Amino acid sequence: MNQYIKYIGLLAILPLLTIILTIDHLGDANAVTKSEGTSSKAYGAATKDKVCGDRLCSQTGGKVVMPSPPSSEQPEDKKMKSPMEDKMTESMDDKMTDSMDEKMTESMNQMAPGSVLRLARANVPATIPLHQGWYSGEPVYFIITDSSEKNHADTITKAQKWKVELAPLLARAPKESLSTTYMFTNGVEGKGIHGFQGEVFTSTPAQSDKYSALTAHVHVTWNEGKTPTVLKSESDIKQAEKDGKVTLTPVEVVINMPQIIWPGGQMKIKEDKKLTDETAYGGAQVLDIDTEKMTVTFVAHRGWAGPQGKTIYYIVTDATPSDPANMMGVTPVETSAKLIANAAAVDLFQFANGIKGTGPLGFQAGIAASANGEENYSPMWRIFIISWKDPSSAKLLETRSDIDFYQQEGQIDVGLARPMDSDHIVNCPFIDPFQ
């Protein structure tokens, strides 16, 4: 290898040596012709800036004076090297090459399976618009991330100037996994989804057996001739309907509306708000809540999704059962367990060993079966755990086909996660944190 590199280098230098030798030869011939001291017909002021040999013509009376011939001794760096010096030089070259090879090998080993995977921008802040609604007469602050129906996704995206992902699979969620939310189509103008008063919720995380971030919707429309007022609870709405003031219309849409602040509680805020590629996954998922600017900032985690191993970012808002929810610092939601065998939830694979990284268990980032923008995308994830039978031989996996291949090869075990011997579902909306 070294000899080959030296041979290539010599071929590259030969043209340059040819040019230099040609120039030197022409210079020597010219010097012989002029070395006799040929007189110049002009000198003094007329030649003060002209050169006669190695001096100004004004200094030589117009005669060309060439420099003294160089000493017969060669400079130290031009002397011929002894065989021993050649061997020493060759030895030093070999050592330098060996050193470079060692550094390259060391660098490759750092990326070798079973070591540490450091994704660039593995954890980044994602600032999301807040909305204000009502529950039993008190304010609720929430976000909107996904919709099962395109018109609502587009309408909300335009209103909040932040993309709501289309997730058609949410329409398949069973009623037991949903809470009900009322949206107003007219009446008192405000910042609700349709430009009127804020939405009214029928539960919050304080009602752990009833609350769900997935919401079924009922449109509230004020009847003609009736004077609209702000309704702040389900009981207010039911009374207005009874009095003939409003008409209630169920809507075929499921929207993901995780609550951030509710009467008597809120999502946990991360103590260390400085994010790095090594930031611990758990503890909390929220960096900041600002009810004046109406924004909430989440930690967005990087991962892979879909058949092509697309890079995605996701946030975590709630989960079931309570132990993993508390570990991640998100809202426990019992009703999500109803999705474990339902098409509204899709598969997400996390790693229990192997390459260390930024996943929730301390190993490589997870892999989702589908990505946002795909027909089978959903923010509700059914968690599977991957374990390498020989962690030291672990490799970086990025797609579902990678998982299937190594499972068929007998190198990994894949099993449904059941922490606390319970069904495990996590609400992980895929988002663009850079919008």
Side-chain angles (χ1 to χ4, degrees):
M1 179 68 179
N2 293 333
Q3 294 300 323
Y4 177 74
I5 293 173
K6 291 178 181 179
Y7 176 72
I8 294 299
L10 181 59
L11 289 178
I13 292 172
L14 279 176
L16 295 175
L17 290 175
T18 303
I19 294 170
I20 293 170
L21 289 173
T22 303
I23 293 172
D24 285 347
H25 177 71
L26 292 174
D28 290 344
N30 196 34
V32 170
T33 303
K34 296 183 177 181
S35 62
E36 297 176 357
T38 305
S39 297
S40 172
K41 294 182 180 180
Y43 56 90
T47 61
K48 64 185 181 71
D49 295 324
K50 296 183 178 180
V51 178
C52 295
D54 68 341
R55 304 182 194 177
L56 293 174
C57 292
S58 58
Q59 296 176 317
T60 65
K63 289 182 177 286
V64 176
V65 179
M66 298 305 296
S68 302
S71 169
S72 60
E73 286 191 21
Q74 296 182 8
E76 288 297 320
D77 59 344
K78 297 288 185 179
K79 289 182 179 179
M80 296 295 290
K81 294 181 180 179
S82 68
M84 180 171 290
E85 288 177 315
D86 286 338
K87 288 183 178 180
M88 289 178 65
T89 302
E90 184 177 349
S91 176
M92 290 178 66
D93 289 343
D94 289 341
K95 287 181 179 178
M96 290 179 65
T97 302
D98 290 343
S99 177
M100 291 176 65
D101 289 343
E102 288 175 3
K103 289 183 180 295
M104 290 179 67
T105 301
E106 181 180 353
S107 177
M108 293 297 290
N109 285 340
Q110 290 176 354
M111 297 183 288
S115 60
V116 178
L117 172 66
R118 292 185 175 88
L119 289 177
R121 298 193 296 179
N123 305 293
V124 299
T127 300
I128 303 172
L130 270 179
H131 299 262
Q132 190 211 316
W134 302 97
Y135 170 74
S136 291
E138 297 187 66
V140 171
Y141 294 88
F142 60 97
I143 60 175
I144 305 175
T145 60
D146 309 273
S147 170
S148 66
E149 190 265 335
K150 188 176 186 303
N151 287 336
H152 277 84
D154 293 343
T155 298
I156 302 168
T157 294
K158 184 178 180 180
Q160 69 179 11
K161 299 178 181 179
W162 191 88
K163 184 174 177 56
V164 172
E165 296 292 342
L166 180 62
L169 292 181
L170 292 181
R172 303 185 185 184
K175 292 182 179 180
E176 313 89 74
S177 67
L178 306 176
S179 62
T180 300
T181 301
Y182 294 92
M183 299 186 294
F184 292 78
T185 61
N186 64 2
V188 179
E189 292 187 359
K191 295 184 178 181
I193 289 175
H194 295 293
F196 299 96
Q197 78 153 79
E199 285 65 43
V200 173
F201 292 86
T202 56
S203 62
T204 73
Q207 294 80 48
S208 59
D209 60 334
K210 296 180 180 180
Y211 169 74
S212 173
L214 297 184
T215 56
H217 287 264
V218 176
H219 277 174
V220 181
T221 305
W222 284 89
N223 296 327
E224 188 175 353
K226 303 300 179 181
T227 302
T229 59
V230 175
L231 306 179
K232 299 182 179 180
S233 68
E234 185 179 30
S235 60
D236 287 348
I237 294 171
K238 293 290 188 181
Q239 186 62 50
E241 181 190 28
K242 184 177 180 180
D243 295 340
K245 295 180 179 180
V246 299
T247 299
L248 305 183
T249 307
V251 184
E252 295 296 324
V253 63
V254 175
I255 301 179
N256 194 13
M257 305 170 71
Q259 294 182 22
I260 308 302
I261 301 175
W262 54 90
Q266 68 172 56
M267 288 193 69
K268 187 177 180 180
I269 297 178
K270 207 172 187 66
E271 293 182 4
D272 184 1
K273 295 177 174 55
K274 182 179 179 181
L275 294 182
T276 69
D277 293 340
E278 288 79 36
T279 295
Y281 193 99
Q285 302 296 319
V286 174
L287 296 172
D288 181 65
I289 302 173
D290 191 332
T291 55
E292 291 186 0
K293 295 182 178 179
M294 292 298 286
T295 60
V296 57
T297 303
F298 274 82
V299 179
H301 305 277
R302 186 174 178 178
W304 288 284
Q308 304 302 321
K310 173 184 175 182
T311 293
I312 53 88
Y313 282 93
Y314 65 92
I315 62 172
V316 187
T317 62
D318 51 84
T320 188
S322 58
D323 276 4
N326 293 331
M327 182 273 291
M328 292 183 286
V330 299
T331 305
V333 179
E334 295 178 19
T335 54
S336 293
K338 305 291 185 181
L339 299 172
I340 194 65
N342 186 268
V346 291
D347 298 341
L348 177 65
F349 300 86
Q350 300 290 6
F351 291 78
N353 62 6
I355 298 175
K356 294 181 180 178
T358 55
L361 301 178
F363 298 94
Q364 82 151 76
I367 301 171
S370 60
N372 45 335
E374 298 177 0
E375 291 185 3
N376 59 341
Y377 162 74
S378 170
M380 309 305 292
W381 296 97
R382 182 187 304 107
I383 307 301
F384 286 81
I385 299 297
I386 295 175
S387 299
W388 287 91
K389 293 182 179 180
D390 179 8
S392 65
S393 66
K395 298 172 179 61
L396 177 63
L397 307 187
E398 299 180 46
T399 66
R400 177 63 185 268
S401 62
D402 288 344
I403 296 170
D404 292 341
F405 174 81
Y406 285 100
Q407 185 178 21
Q408 292 170 6
E409 290 290 308
Q411 296 190 40
I412 60 174
D413 290 322
V414 181
L416 186 66
R418 287 188 56 79
M420 302 172 61
D421 196 27
S422 302
D423 297 326
H424 186 29
I425 298 288
V426 183
N427 190 351
C428 296
F430 286 10
I431 65 163
D432 175 6
F434 309 112
Q435 61 183 299

